[in-house]
Amino acid sequence: MSIRLPTADGGSRLYRPNSAPLPPLKCGPARSRVFYSAAHVVADAAAPSAAGPVIDWESTLAFRRGLWAQGLGVAEAMDTAQRGMGLDWPAAAELIRRSAAEAATVGGRIVCGAGTDQLSSAGPPHSLAAITAAYEEQLAHVEACGSGAVLMASRALAAAARGPEDYLEVYGALIRQSARPVVLHWLGPMFDPALAGYWGHHDPDAATEVFLKIVGDCPQKVDGVKVSLLDAEREVDIRRRLPAGVRCYTGDDYHYPELIAGDGESTGDALLGIFDPIAPIAARAALALDRDDLAGFHELLDPTVPLSRHLFAPPTRFYKTGVVLLAWLAGHQEHFTMLGGLESARPLPHLATAYELADGLGLFPDPERAEDRMRGLLALHGVTS
């Protein structure tokens, strides 16, 4: 049986759904790499819109348990969880608390995002002291919950910084006082336009030097860096120049297989939003690397790149919509509703292609349920399939 899917040119195409999904997988963490999945949150669809961000805790935590069961780590309260795009700091703080407690219960690996999003974006730029204090509040909360921290890029700092010296001051203070090694996150403006000119430079070469200086000033307190620039060559250059023992977690959802595999001189770890929908494949690829089966790794992970590039197509910041769509189609949640109404951020043909690419990879445990849900979504928009 086929389903008719809408196309971007106003037409349609017939697609025959996959009848051979990937079988379930349960395993421990890989030995050769560290893989974190930046995980989405499940909204409470029944909550009144005036209530602000309301999370379906049972479904949200169940999804994280599924990631840990497949050997993946969880990167919590980050961009994929709609941080700054529907998820505010009070909700993020509770998400961190609950997920860290769950991780401790099951022995799962977790890191959590610490930023400055409790500061208002209205009015004049905040002082460096206020920005540092906001970071400190969130860093203290993350560490008190028993998690390592990812120091997220700050819109407030991007707006207030007069130059590289301000980034060196703020990040240096945070790293020196952290209770455990942190991950530094360089999130490019394709993910958040408000972060243009981060590290005090619009020139990426100059920005790279500042970023590496922050790491090099206190390398023993830096677990790793997460590079989300969609620039594979720059990431490889950064990776080669990191101090010994500092990991490079790729955040490049366009080139991740080659960046993880390495170039013969260095290899990469990963902290990726695309690992949310492709977790069953990512987990298998990690195990292939444990067996030194590089060909098997590429055979598994390379075919996922077209799906990832589609989900992260410009405007890249709306990739979460496709991620949550696929979670719904896969049966990880019972609705396609997002915090802040972000389910409407992508057009129907984009969602139809996401369904087709994910189904072709065998990512839906129950293909018939996924097809039925996709048909229902199409019908809701007046498209008969």
Side-chain angles (χ1 to χ4, degrees):
M1 191 172 180
S2 299
I3 179 173
R4 185 169 294 277
L5 301 175
T7 57
D9 60 5
S12 65
R13 65 186 180 281
L14 283 175
Y15 173 69
R16 184 177 297 277
N18 189 354
S19 59
L22 285 170
L25 173 70
K26 287 193 175 183
C27 62
R31 301 183 308 276
S32 56
R33 302 289 195 281
V34 176
F35 278 13
Y36 286 108
S37 170
H40 76 283
V41 293
V42 183
D44 183 346
S49 58
V54 180
I55 294 173
D56 176 345
W57 293 111
E58 182 177 350
S59 298
T60 294
L61 294 176
F63 184 76
R64 282 140 179 79
R65 288 193 294 270
L67 294 173
W68 287 316
Q70 295 173 91
L72 299 178
V74 169
E76 188 57 275
M78 297 191 63
D79 193 48
T80 306
Q82 294 183 242
R83 192 75 179 268
M85 292 185 68
L87 185 74
D88 60 16
W89 170 238
E94 181 65 8
L95 177 63
I96 289 166
R97 185 188 70 78
R98 291 182 184 236
S99 291
E102 198 76 22
T105 298
V106 303
R109 180 183 282 132
I110 189 170
V111 290
C112 299
T116 64
D117 47 328
Q118 71 270 55
L119 297 176
S120 172
S121 59
H126 296 275
S127 68
L128 291 187
I131 292 167
T132 302
Y135 262 128
E136 288 173 341
E137 177 191 354
Q138 296 200 15
L139 175 61
H141 177 72
V142 168
E143 293 186 334
C145 290
S147 172
V150 179
L151 294 183
M152 302 173 69
S154 165
R155 292 174 181 172
L157 183 54
R162 296 156 297 180
E165 64 280 356
D166 289 343
Y167 290 90
L168 291 166
E169 176 183 336
V170 171
Y171 278 89
L174 294 169
I175 292 169
R176 286 191 297 271
Q177 68 183 275
S178 63
R180 61 178 74 187
V182 300
V183 177
L184 299 185
H185 189 189
W186 185 355
L187 189 68
M190 67 290 295
F191 288 93
D192 187 344
L195 300 176
Y198 213 71
W199 310 119
H201 291 286
H202 286 275
D203 173 56
D205 290 337
T208 297
E209 296 306 317
V210 178
F211 184 57
L212 288 170
K213 177 169 175 50
I214 291 172
V215 177
D217 282 348
C218 202
Q220 70 276 12
K221 297 294 290 290
V222 180
D223 167 69
V225 299
K226 170 174 158 52
V227 183
S228 301
L229 301 176
L230 305 183
D231 182 342
E233 290 185 7
R234 182 166 303 281
E235 182 173 323
V236 170
D237 175 65
I238 289 172
R239 187 175 72 200
R240 290 173 175 171
R241 296 172 63 190
L242 289 172
V246 177
R247 297 179 182 273
C248 185
Y249 296 100
T250 185
D252 188 328
D253 299 277
Y254 282 10
H255 308 98
Y256 51 95
E258 64 195 73
L259 288 166
I260 293 168
D263 54 6
E265 183 177 329
S266 60
T267 61
D269 299 283
L271 195 167
L272 288 163
I274 190 57
F275 279 1
D276 181 306
I278 70 163
I281 299 176
R284 287 170 165 84
L287 295 178
L289 290 177
D290 282 357
R291 301 189 300 268
D292 292 324
D293 182 5
L294 190 59
F297 166 83
H298 282 292
E299 184 178 347
L300 285 160
L301 211 56
D302 287 0
T304 68
V305 172
L307 170 63
S308 189
R309 291 193 174 210
H310 177 73
L311 294 180
F312 286 80
T316 302
R317 63 189 180 278
F318 294 135
Y319 76 87
K320 299 94 165 171
T321 302
V323 167
V324 175
L325 169 81
L326 298 184
W328 172 56
L329 295 177
H332 299 306
Q333 58 193 78
E334 293 306 312
H335 59 79
F336 178 40
T337 303
M338 299 177 66
L339 301 180
L342 202 62
E343 68 274 8
S344 64
R346 292 291 202 186
L348 194 62
H350 177 94
L351 301 180
T353 298
Y355 158 72
E356 180 180 353
L357 291 171
D359 181 70
L361 293 168
L363 289 171
F364 301 137
D366 184 342
E368 290 186 7
R369 175 178 56 195
E371 180 184 351
D372 287 345
R373 288 186 171 184
M374 193 67 212
R375 287 185 187 277
L377 180 63
L378 294 172
L380 183 65
H381 290 80
V383 178
T384 57
S385 58

